[in-house]
Amino acid sequence: MPRDGIRGPEPVVPADIESINKVFSEAFTDRYRRDGMSDVRIPPLNPAIWRFAIADAAEGALVWRDERGAIAAFNMIHRSGAEGWMGPLAVRSDLQGEGLGGAVVREGIRRLEAAGARVIGLETMPRTVENIGFYSRLGFRPGHLTVSIARDLDQSTASAGELLSRADRPAALAACGALTEACCPGTDYSRVIGLTLEHGLGDVTMLIEQGALSGFALWHAAPLTEGRPRDELRVLKLVARDLGAFGRLIQAVEGAARHAKAHRVSIRCQTANGSAYGALLDAGYAVHWTDLRMTLAGKDEVAPRDGAVAFSNWEI
């Protein structure tokens, strides 16, 4: 149990963003230091990204406070229909090892189960046996990797595809929802799509073939970290009817990146789909980072239907 004087969970308020950002940066930097990577520093995130994450988590954006009212821990608990996940979450470095982390994760599990999530997961650093052991003791089991895979763009004039922001929005959202339901029953990305557009962080590239939607990719072009230039387009959610549509969708995303003046495309690729991962490598993408996907026992991911490709990041 957490030590006396810790209270929570409480809803995140806008004034908490700066403190949450500080806890995030210091806790993850300390984690890498303890893993022997003392030269790695995790920078604060772009406050706009935090505002998006808090809005997406909604009632699942939670903080715990110490006796002075300072942020002791936080958890962003997200749900996209049947798919539930937690991240980012962190405990202040000076409070780790006192039981607070377990309380934070158990609260996330409780809320996602109460909401009817059929998938409950999170991502952690694959080399950190301490983290993997911690989550395993709470009922999570390791699965595949999520690989951040990126490609620097050339000056090709590939088509940018159709952007959802410029389409008939209700009809486009309905088409994206129908394709997601056909490929990943019970999953719904309409909320995260709407918030991306509302917060001005990015857009959705849609692959329209013979009058029908074959795939879509939700991406952000806003800088992820504070003070970084706007030079990368990051794919966060992707659904494609089959591997061929996936390849054509990636080409359209690259076209959208060029139009957005981004010099690089980065994709959060789940390696459970080895064929899609291989196709990205063949297209010139290179591995930049890895995270271990873990799911609660009995709340595992289900493979997309009928050869479809689906990527869903469990980080912001």
Side-chain angles (χ1 to χ4, degrees), residues 10-30:
E10 299 177 356
V12 172
V13 297
D16 290 327
I17 289 177
E18 183 177 354
S19 296
I20 287 173
N21 216 357
K22 186 172 186 287
V23 170
F24 167 84
S25 177
E26 292 180 352
F28 280 87
T29 297
D30 182 62

Side-chain angles (χ1 to χ4, degrees), residues 33 50 65 72 82 84 136-137 159 164 180-181 215 225 238 258 262 270 283 291-292 304:
R33 180 189 60 78
W50 280 117
R65 302 182 190 275
S136 294
R137 289 190 296 274
S159 169
L164 190 147
T180 304
E181 178 64 26
T225 57
L238 179 152
R258 294 184 186 94
Q270 279 79 62
D291 291 291
L292 177 66

Side-chain angles (χ1 to χ4, degrees), residues 24 66 69 90 109 181 190 254:
F24 167 84
D66 66 16
I109 294 170
E181 178 64 26
S190 59
E254 291 173 355

Side-chain angles (χ1 to χ4, degrees), residues 151 153-154 156-161 205-207 209 217 235 238 243-259 265 267 279-280 283 285:
R151 176 173 178 254
L153 300 178
D154 55 28
S156 167
T157 57
S159 169
T205 293
M206 301 187 300
L207 180 68
E209 298 181 315
V235 175
L238 179 152
L243 191 61
F246 170 74
R248 295 187 293 275
L249 177 60
I250 294 301
Q251 291 177 349
V253 168
E254 291 173 355
R258 294 184 186 94
H259 282 265
V265 171
I267 301 170
L280 289 171
Y285 283 77

Side-chain angles (χ1 to χ4, degrees), residues 183 209 214 240-248 306-309:
C183 297
E209 298 181 315
S214 295
R241 191 173 300 283
D242 53 39
L243 191 61
F246 170 74
R248 295 187 293 275
D306 302 326
V309 178

Side-chain angles (χ1 to χ4, degrees), residues 12-289:
V12 172
V13 297
D16 290 327
I17 289 177
E18 183 177 354
S19 296
I20 287 173
N21 216 357
K22 186 172 186 287
V23 170
F24 167 84
S25 177
E26 292 180 352
F28 280 87
T29 297
D30 182 62
R31 176 70 266 173
Y32 283 110
R33 180 189 60 78
R34 287 186 283 136
D35 281 348
M37 293 183 284
S38 58
D39 58 335
V40 175
R41 181 183 179 276
I42 302 301
L45 297 182
N46 181 350
I49 300 295
W50 280 117
R51 289 191 288 272
F52 164 79
I54 291 165
D56 185 51
E59 294 180 356
L62 304 175
V63 293
W64 285 252
R65 302 182 190 275
D66 66 16
E67 56 275 7
R68 304 184 315 278
I71 303 294
F74 67 86
N75 192 356
M76 302 293 152
I77 304 161
H78 307 263
R79 189 168 66 87
S80 298
E83 180 186 86
W85 53 277
M86 290 176 262
L89 62 94
V91 174
R92 210 170 69 205
S93 297
D94 62 303
L95 295 174
Q96 293 181 12
E98 300 185 9
L100 181 54
V104 167
V105 175
R106 284 191 291 270
E107 180 65 18
I109 294 170
R110 185 190 72 78
R111 289 185 178 234
L112 288 171
E113 288 183 330
R118 296 201 301 268
V119 175
I120 296 178
L122 50 81
E123 291 177 345
T124 190
M125 294 171 280
R127 65 170 285 159
T128 306
V129 294
E130 181 180 321
N131 275 13
I132 296 170
F134 166 73
Y135 291 122
S136 294
R137 289 190 296 274
L138 291 169
F140 289 84
R141 298 294 177 260
H144 55 268
L145 293 175
T146 290
V147 177
S148 294
I149 189 169
R151 176 173 178 254
D152 292 330
L153 300 178
D154 55 28
Q155 298 303 311
S156 167
T157 57
S159 169
E162 185 170 342
L163 296 180
L164 190 147
S165 64
R166 299 176 184 172
D168 178 338
R169 191 170 299 186
L173 283 170
C176 290
L179 181 62
T180 304
E181 178 64 26
C183 297
C184 310
T187 306
D188 180 5
Y189 296 135
S190 59
R191 176 181 176 80
V192 69
I193 290 172
L195 287 170
T196 291
L197 298 176
E198 177 185 332
H199 286 253
L201 300 179
D203 212 320
V204 176
T205 293
M206 301 187 300
L207 180 68
I208 309 293
E209 298 181 315
Q210 298 181 341
L213 185 69
S214 295
F216 69 89
L218 168 67
W219 48 264
H220 286 181
L224 179 61
T225 57
E226 201 167 27
R228 182 172 177 174
R230 186 185 178 100
D231 61 356
E232 180 179 74
L233 184 150
R234 304 182 308 282
V235 175
L236 306 183
K237 309 286 184 187
L238 179 152
V239 178
R241 191 173 300 283
D242 53 39
L243 191 61
F246 170 74
R248 295 187 293 275
L249 177 60
I250 294 301
Q251 291 177 349
V253 168
E254 291 173 355
R258 294 184 186 94
H259 282 265
K261 309 301 183 185
H263 303 296
R264 171 183 290 189
V265 171
S266 176
I267 301 170
R268 299 276 291 172
C269 171
Q270 279 79 62
T271 59
N273 192 320
S275 297
Y277 178 65
L280 289 171
L281 294 177
D282 290 343
Y285 283 77
V287 173
H288 282 247
W289 198 255

